[in-house]
Amino acid sequence: MMSQSASEPQEHQQQLEAELEHERRRNAELEQRVRELETQLGNPTSITTLAEERNLLRTLIDSMPDYIFVKDTEHRYLLNNVAHAQAFTQRHPEELVGHTASEFTTPEAVQLFHADDHQVLTTGQPLIDRIEEFVGEDGRPLWHSVTKVPLRNVESDIIGIVGISRDITERKRAELKLEQALKAERELVDLRARFVSMAAHEFRTPLASILSATELIHHYRDRLTAEQLDQRLRDIADQVMFLTDIVENFLQAARTEMGKTELTLQPTSLTAVCQEIIDDFQRRPNFQHQFSMRSDDPPPALLDKQRMRQVLLNLVANAVKYSSHGTTVTIELTHTPDDLTCSITDQGIGIPEADQAHLFEMFYRASNAVGVSGTGLGLAIAKQVVDLHQGKITCCSAQDQGTTFTVKLPYRELEVSIPNDSAVV
């Protein structure tokens, strides 16, 4: 027992000496570090060098057109270059320090920024050249190319992010404009291709009829009566008019697709236009439909007479084409101080419900129109012209129960002045 007790003070003494030696070494290291710091602080050259390096770095980041910034883990800005600060309504870089983006921009943009920050902070992986779209304060879309990397301390803990963002809005707008131009060009090429295909089919029958009539006249002129000769000539004229309508419809569709349709507004009586169309049909040989026209005699309105006649002619022609002989086509004109409305109703085959959503598309024809000649351009052109007049065209139909097309136009009486941008579209 005595031997064990005697050894304890000795071990305690050794432990104390070891601790004292450790403290002496630590004090010596601290003293050496203090002397080094005193040397640095006492050296004006070192202080100047550090200041110059800091000024160089600041000059470098402020001269960059890209947005450069540093944030902490709470999304607060620690550093910003001039370009980034000025993007926030021409602020000074120091004004952003200690604040978050939520104080300077839209909630939608903030949500996007913070989502990126969170991804970098939680994964520790850099986010490189991500294209981000958001809405600016003026409501217009903006695009940025964003790079963010984690900011780490000496212990490699993530304490924030360093970001570089580039405004690529003008580039994206130019790309979108180019895409729209290419889309329009592709649509025009497709329109031409479909027209060639359609023309090859639709031109064949009238051309064959014209050729047959001319050959008959050429070979049997002496045997034909005057009435028979007149009938052949009328047949040729009808087929030529049919071909002319096809070409005019295509040209009108192409002009509209290219944005080159002009409206020539003039005082126009739709009642008179409708009556002219009725008279034209009733003068045709073997015409076997009836017309019923009701009008509350709206005063003349400012319209493009030629274009509106084309619209109503297409609608009446469809009503006649898709209804049986002896049935009635009804044209009704009404008006209010604000609207001018024309509806055309037939008692024909109607339009299947599944087809009605596509009626106004180029070259589209209803599934029950098989066997009836047509180009699929008339309704598309009608809608284009009505749209240019800032009006609306609608359809109400059921298969085997007839169809009603209604054109509603904003009423522009003569005393109303028309803005310049309405005169030419």
Side-chain angles (χ1 to χ4, degrees), residues 179-192 258:
E179 289 176 4
Q180 292 171 354
L182 290 174
K183 181 181 177 182
E185 186 65 25
R186 285 193 296 267
E187 289 175 349
L188 184 58
V189 170
D190 183 56
L191 180 66
R192 290 169 177 166
M258 297 175 67

Side-chain angles (χ1 to χ4, degrees), residues 18-33:
E19 291 177 354
L20 288 172
E21 181 60 26
H22 176 73
E23 288 297 325
R24 281 195 294 270
R25 288 198 300 271
R26 184 178 177 185
N27 288 338
E29 291 174 356
L30 291 174
E31 290 174 357
Q32 178 62 29
R33 182 57 181 161

Side-chain angles (χ1 to χ4, degrees), residues 76-80 92-99:
R76 292 185 295 257
Y77 290 110
L78 303 177
L79 180 144
N80 306 271
H92 189 274
E94 297 302 323
E95 294 183 63
L96 272 64
V97 174
H99 299 277

Side-chain angles (χ1 to χ4, degrees), residues 9-193:
Q10 185 177 359
E11 292 176 356
H12 184 65
Q13 180 67 27
Q14 292 175 348
Q15 183 178 356
L16 289 175
E17 290 176 356
E19 291 177 354
L20 288 172
E21 181 60 26
H22 176 73
E23 288 297 325
R24 281 195 294 270
R25 288 198 300 271
R26 184 178 177 185
N27 288 338
E29 291 174 356
L30 291 174
E31 290 174 357
Q32 178 62 29
R33 182 57 181 161
V34 169
R35 285 193 294 271
E36 291 174 356
L37 290 174
E38 289 175 346
T39 301
Q40 293 177 359
L41 292 174
N43 187 347
T45 303
S46 298
I47 296 175
T48 301
T49 301
L50 290 173
E52 289 177 348
E53 290 177 352
R54 183 181 185 282
N55 183 63
L56 176 63
L57 179 61
R58 187 75 228 188
T59 301
L60 178 63
I61 66 171
D62 281 341
S63 64
M64 296 290 289
D66 295 344
Y67 306 153
I68 300 175
F69 54 88
V70 178
K71 295 182 182 179
D72 64 16
T73 55
E74 299 299 323
H75 311 290
R76 292 185 295 257
Y77 290 110
L78 303 177
L79 180 144
N80 306 271
N81 72 339
V82 171
H84 184 244
Q86 289 184 344
F88 290 111
T89 61
Q90 300 295 314
R91 295 180 181 272
H92 189 274
E94 297 302 323
E95 294 183 63
L96 272 64
V97 174
H99 299 277
T100 67
S102 60
E103 301 176 54
F104 306 106
T105 190
T106 64
E108 293 79 12
V110 171
Q111 184 177 8
L112 185 63
F113 299 161
H114 287 187
D116 290 345
D117 297 348
H118 181 73
Q119 177 181 334
V120 174
L121 292 171
T122 55
T123 66
Q125 298 299 315
L127 185 154
I128 306 296
D129 198 25
R130 172 179 289 179
I131 306 300
E132 295 181 343
E133 179 183 358
F134 55 95
V135 178
E137 294 181 352
D138 60 356
R140 301 179 67 189
L142 301 173
W143 290 267
H144 282 184
S145 171
V146 179
T147 294
K148 293 181 178 180
V149 298
L151 176 64
R152 300 178 183 272
N153 60 16
V154 292
E155 285 81 19
S156 294
D157 298 324
I158 296 177
I159 60 173
I161 63 166
V162 177
I164 301 176
S165 176
R166 176 174 297 177
D167 188 341
I168 59 171
T169 299
E170 292 305 317
R171 189 186 83 188
K172 290 296 294 184
R173 287 175 179 168
E175 289 176 357
L176 291 175
K177 187 175 181 180
L178 179 60
E179 289 176 4
Q180 292 171 354
L182 290 174
K183 181 181 177 182
E185 186 65 25
R186 285 193 296 267
E187 289 175 349
L188 184 58
V189 170
D190 183 56
L191 180 66
R192 290 169 177 166

